[in-house]
Amino acid sequence: MAIEIVPEWMVNLDDEDVSFIKKFILASGSLKEIANQYGVTYPTVRLRLDKLIQKIQISEDTANEPYIALIKRLALNEKIDFETAKILINEYKKTKKEVK
């Protein structure tokens, strides 16, 4: 029986994200090739990659600031808009400063 250990940066990725990463690697990092495989434009693939990068960066922030990471994750998943996310994060940071 094999024990699967998922790296921390992969915890918040869904199956589609992992599939994208696999295709990206198999295409030797060619965004043009990935665009052809998905039948979309290069800018669409670039945007998808940028969102994936942000998800990975957020997972690295989680240990230090889980609340901020949650807000960023909600914005990335389009559950809240980016302006609302910025407001929530700024207010949270203000209250943390006041507590210290």
Side-chain angles (χ1 to χ4, degrees), residues 18-40:
V18 175
S19 176
F20 181 87
I21 292 169
K22 181 179 178 182
K23 287 182 179 187
F24 182 72
I25 292 168
L26 292 174
S28 300
S30 170
L31 295 181
K32 185 177 179 181
E33 175 62 30
I34 297 297
N36 287 335
Q37 288 181 27
Y38 281 102
V40 297

Side-chain angles (χ1 to χ4, degrees), residues 37-49:
Q37 288 181 27
Y38 281 102
V40 297
T41 64
Y42 177 92
T44 301
V45 172
R46 182 71 236 182
L47 181 62
R48 173 81 187 272
L49 181 60

Side-chain angles (χ1 to χ4, degrees), residues 2-80:
I3 298 174
E4 289 188 39
I5 299 175
V6 178
E8 187 67 31
W9 63 269
M10 290 186 75
V11 171
N12 293 318
L13 302 181
D14 55 33
D15 290 342
E16 267 186 49
D17 294 330
V18 175
S19 176
F20 181 87
I21 292 169
K22 181 179 178 182
K23 287 182 179 187
F24 182 72
I25 292 168
L26 292 174
S28 300
S30 170
L31 295 181
K32 185 177 179 181
E33 175 62 30
I34 297 297
N36 287 335
Q37 288 181 27
Y38 281 102
V40 297
T41 64
Y42 177 92
T44 301
V45 172
R46 182 71 236 182
L47 181 62
R48 173 81 187 272
L49 181 60
D50 289 343
K51 283 187 174 188
L52 189 53
I53 290 167
Q54 289 173 335
K55 279 186 176 182
I56 292 169
Q57 289 171 335
I58 286 172
S59 70
E60 293 176 356
D61 293 343
T62 302
N64 299 330
E65 292 289 349
Y67 179 77
I68 292 175
L70 170 65
I71 298 300
K72 288 179 178 179
R73 196 167 42 253
L74 289 171
L76 271 176
N77 293 327
E78 299 177 354
K79 301 293 183 192
I80 61 174

